[in-house]
Amino acid sequence: MYTSIDEKLRFELMISELCSAFVSVAADKVDDEINRWLAFVITTLGVDRCTLFQITEDDSTGVLTHTWAARKSLALEPSAIAELREGVYVLPWSVEQLLRGDHIVFSSMNELPPSATEDREFFESSGTKSNVTLPMSVGGSLIGAIAFSTVRLEIKWSEELIGRLRMVTHVFASALARKRADLELKSSYDRYQTLFESASDAISVCTCSPASTARMRRAALCALGPRKPRRPSSSTTPASRSERNI
């Protein structure tokens, strides 16, 4: 599909801009940025539809989280979107390939194996003619997949184009992994903040030398006052003189 130097340069420029767009985007804006760039990517690459799936927290399945089509008439039907948002149970063969780290490439439905019967039924019902689905992995862990599809006609996927789709997939995977890390960090911070605010004792966190720690302890004692001794309970009261002489 890339037959001229201008087309290749245009793609390289898109990748550069795509990477830059996700460098400083806030975690709560990553999804909006992905939607914006999916639209740009499918226009640049000449595919009809792009669908992004993410693995659920319990790793039981994948769910559709983002989808975009070149035209409304090429988009997935609302019923298909709703079904995929619940889990990709209608694509068992595809899920099996992705969990093994393999990609899925077919230019025609005839290229699907007999074991992909359920997947074929879904692809046919959704109007898919050709498809490339690539796993999104970060640090060796599968976090999702992106499917690039054509609806209007069958196309032969060149190695050059698949390589470029891999680059796009890697950028989205890195952005989603950073989003997850940022949200986990914020959640952890909120938990410790709640712990500090609800604690009845003074809590301090520092990385100081022993001498500095001792000075901080003395300063805390001065600020908080001496600790009052606990009144002994009846079970720990010292025995009387007469009892000790028995």
Side-chain angles (χ1 to χ4, degrees), residues 24-146:
S24 58
V25 65
D28 60 346
K29 300 296 182 184
V30 168
D31 290 319
D32 292 338
E33 199 68 13
I34 287 177
N35 283 329
R36 186 172 75 87
W37 277 97
L38 284 181
F40 190 74
V41 165
I42 63 174
T43 301
T44 303
L45 298 179
V47 296
D48 294 329
R49 190 164 61 209
C50 187
T51 309
L52 188 150
F53 301 87
Q54 293 186 60
I55 300 295
T56 54
E57 291 184 2
D58 60 1
D59 294 331
S60 62
T61 186
V63 293
L64 183 152
T65 56
H66 305 77
T67 184
W68 202 271
R71 293 203 305 258
K72 187 176 181 179
S73 60
L74 304 175
L76 286 170
E77 292 292 330
S79 58
I81 293 176
E83 188 173 23
L84 292 174
R85 289 196 186 280
E86 295 296 322
V88 288
Y89 305 109
V90 293
L91 299 168
W93 176 82
S94 298
V95 171
E96 183 181 351
Q97 309 309 305
L98 295 168
L99 289 175
R100 292 206 306 250
D102 297 335
H103 61 263
I104 299 165
V105 179
F106 62 86
S107 298
S108 167
M109 288 292 179
N110 296 329
E111 297 176 7
L112 289 171
S115 57
T117 302
E118 293 180 62
D119 301 61
R120 178 196 295 269
E121 290 176 357
F122 178 82
F123 288 135
E124 289 177 344
S125 66
S126 64
T128 301
K129 287 188 168 56
S130 303
N131 175 276
V132 171
T133 302
L134 301 173
M136 293 193 299
S137 299
V138 176
S141 298
L142 182 71
I143 66 170
I146 302 183

